[in-house]
Amino acid sequence: MARNYLKKAKLFPASDSTDVRDTVQNILNDIEMRGDAAALEYAAKFDRYEGNIKLTRAEIDAAIALVPEQLKQDIRFAHDNVRRFAEAQKSTLKDVELEIVPGLVAGQKTIPVRTAGCYIPGGRYSHIASAIMTVTTAKVAGCENIIACSPPRPGVGIAPAIVFAADLCGADTILALGGVQGIAAMAFGLFDLPKADILVGPGNQFVAEAKRILFGRVGIDMFAGPTDSLILADGKADPEIVAADLVGQAEHGYNSPVWLVTDSDPLARKVLDLVPQLIAALPELNGKNAEAAWRDYAEVIICADREEMAATADDYAPEHLTVQAGDLDWWLGRLKCYGSLFLGEETTVAFGDKASGPNHVLPTSKAANYTGGLSVHKYMKIVTWQRATVEGSKPIAEATARISRLEGMEGHARTADIRLKKYFPDETFNLTVAEGAGA
């Protein structure tokens, strides 16, 4: 594959987990040992916040009163879209019942986890949309307890719009805690709350590492690194829109890679000219993030044709994948590795990030090779069951006994033997494997 790099990344994105692992592990150990008191100390130290941790109804209502009505309407609009999409996803999960052999019936049930812990970033940017994405899907799934946790601002608390969104979407409890202490509070069941069965939501490298360490004790949505985005554009794409979309995603952070893959050299060079101008026009913080991300992590790649472009996208397995090229149905059918796909210039990653319906908590760092993003399914356990009549158990018991003995698992075999002896006392069964056979 002859890819031509007009711009090559100087660095490669990483979650930096090795740099923060010891710090995060020590904090988790301390909070697990000392409980609420330790979490409060870390809140004072890292969040510089000494207010109430578990918001009361009065505090929630006071925060909601501060949110402008237009913003409330926008949040309601986004919530409705995300809710309806999650409901459609849930409808694809069905309970199943099947007669495997005559007299033996097996089935599948879908059961939501009991308690979901939803982390909502509130540091560099107030992620209102993350409240919508995480809490709404947990509510649609049917979780009994939903805990929303977000970093408070010194002397202020959680951003009012985040409080409104979390409450609207169905959070049963809202915690003013950030970082590792917030994750620990949900995982360990602090502040008289039930322990979370699953932890979801984006966060910085400390939040990501806390989830990584706790995985196994609790479920998580995914191992998350810096957000990344790739655009596939042909020669008819609008270079200004392509450039704006690249910059819009680069502002996430200094290590958020963005990639342009195209079969048009003129388009690529025009985008290379436009991006620095658009970055310079951003507010200071956003501009610094986008400038660093573009300088160190961005790539612009020229391919021979659309098949090579698609293959390149699959190799990168981006979190967000945008297609601004002709024949969108071809791309939809061809592309295989992405977190979420945006077809045509009429939609963009920011739509998915904020309001269009599909979830914005997505796999990063090439995890799209093996998983999708957060959905109502992440909160659901698919479990199985079976039951049998006496006659239905007969052939299963015979096969089980012989297979178990071949494996050397005599105790297993005897659980089958005892049933055959009880149910069919007048019959003789061959429950051993011929000599010479081996596993």
Side-chain angles (χ1 to χ4, degrees):
M1 189 175 294
R3 297 171 184 162
N4 178 24
Y5 287 81
L6 294 188
K7 185 181 188 309
K8 183 76 172 175
K10 299 177 182 178
L11 300 174
F12 296 97
S15 63
D16 300 325
S17 61
T18 55
D19 296 333
V20 302
R21 177 177 293 275
D22 290 345
T23 299
V24 172
Q25 185 70 71
N26 290 336
I27 295 172
L28 289 174
N29 291 344
D30 188 29
I31 294 176
E32 185 170 23
M33 180 179 297
R34 298 195 295 120
D36 294 5
L40 290 170
E41 290 175 15
Y42 286 111
K45 179 179 180 179
F46 295 125
D47 295 329
R48 290 175 291 141
Y49 177 77
E50 297 183 5
N52 191 32
I53 296 296
K54 189 161 68 172
L55 271 61
T56 65
R57 185 68 248 176
E59 289 170 325
I60 292 171
D61 290 340
I64 290 172
L66 298 174
V67 182
E69 186 56 37
Q70 181 61 62
L71 180 55
K72 288 181 179 178
Q73 291 179 18
D74 291 337
I75 292 172
R76 291 188 187 107
F77 171 76
H79 166 248
D80 187 60
N81 291 343
V82 173
R83 175 187 57 79
R84 289 186 294 110
F85 191 82
E87 288 172 345
Q89 288 182 318
K90 188 178 181 182
S91 71
T92 67
L93 287 176
K94 302 291 185 182
D95 289 353
V96 173
E97 186 172 311
L98 173 67
E99 189 170 47
I100 303 292
V101 298
L104 175 68
V105 178
Q108 166 184 295
K109 276 182 64 68
T110 56
I111 303 173
V113 300
R114 293 168 297 176
T115 300
C118 303
Y119 189 85
I120 304 160
R124 185 187 301 136
Y125 305 117
S126 292
H127 279 244
I128 300 167
S130 287
I132 300 170
M133 301 291 172
T134 58
V135 177
T136 302
T137 45
K139 190 71 173 178
V140 171
C143 298
E144 296 172 12
N145 304 296
I146 303 172
I147 304 166
C149 181
S150 189
R153 293 173 178 174
V156 177
I158 301 173
I162 288 180
V163 175
F164 172 72
D167 185 63
L168 171 71
C169 297
D172 298 295
T173 304
I174 302 175
L175 297 179
L177 276 174
V180 178
Q181 60 271 23
I183 294 295
M186 295 188 288
F188 300 149
L190 303 187
F191 304 103
D192 299 318
L193 293 170
K195 294 180 180 180
D197 299 307
I198 188 170
L199 298 169
V200 304
N204 63 20
Q205 67 265 39
F206 294 94
V207 169
E209 186 59 26
K211 289 167 65 179
R212 184 191 302 273
I213 291 171
L214 291 166
F215 177 57
R217 296 178 60 173
V218 297
I220 65 171
D221 45 3
M222 63 196 72
F223 296 119
T227 188
D228 58 68
S229 299
L230 187 149
I231 296 178
L232 294 164
D234 64 14
K236 294 182 179 179
D238 185 329
E240 292 186 358
I241 290 179
V242 172
D245 286 356
L246 291 168
V247 172
Q249 289 304 297
E251 79 170 345
H252 271 288
Y254 73 93
N255 58 351
S256 295
V258 291
W259 306 295
L260 171 60
V261 178
T262 180
D263 58 359
S264 170
D265 187 270
L267 174 86
R269 295 186 185 280
K270 180 63 175 176
V271 170
L272 283 168
D273 288 340
L274 288 170
V275 165
Q277 301 172 40
L278 296 178
I279 290 174
L282 287 173
E284 183 179 3
L285 175 61
N286 310 61
K288 285 183 177 179
N289 286 328
E291 181 181 17
W294 180 255
R295 179 189 65 236
D296 296 332
Y297 295 92
E299 295 186 336
V300 176
I301 305 168
I302 306 292
C303 294
D305 52 36
R306 69 179 187 178
E307 175 55 39
E308 188 172 81
M309 290 167 62
T312 300
D314 284 344
D315 286 347
Y316 277 64
E319 177 187 9
H320 310 100
L321 178 56
T322 298
V323 178
Q324 294 181 19
D327 197 0
L328 296 178
D329 287 339
W330 182 86
W331 295 97
L332 179 60
R334 167 62 183 81
L335 295 165
K336 296 180 176 68
C337 300
Y338 52 85
S340 193
L341 180 61
F342 301 82
L343 293 163
E345 73 168 38
E346 295 80 8
T347 188
T348 182
V349 174
F351 290 3
D353 279 349
K354 309 303 177 187
S356 60
N359 211 285
H360 83 182
V361 181
L362 299 167
T364 63
S365 307
K366 293 194 174 184
N369 279 314
Y370 61 84
T371 188
L374 180 64
S375 72
V376 71
H377 306 135
K378 293 281 187 177
Y379 301 92
M380 307 292 291
K381 300 178 292 183
I382 299 177
V383 298
T384 57
W385 58 267
Q386 58 184 272
R387 63 185 175 204
T389 64
V390 167
E391 288 295 333
S393 71
K394 185 177 180 181
I396 305 297
E398 292 180 88
T400 296
R402 289 189 288 265
I403 292 171
S404 296
R405 288 197 167 92
L406 178 62
E407 294 174 337
M409 304 188 76
E410 183 62 27
H412 280 61
R414 292 179 185 182
T415 65
D417 295 349
I418 196 170
R419 286 166 171 78
L420 291 170
K421 182 177 180 181
K422 176 179 180 179
Y423 302 150
F424 308 98
D426 299 327
E427 294 189 42
T428 300
F429 299 95
N430 177 13
L431 302 177
T432 59
V433 179
E435 273 189 45

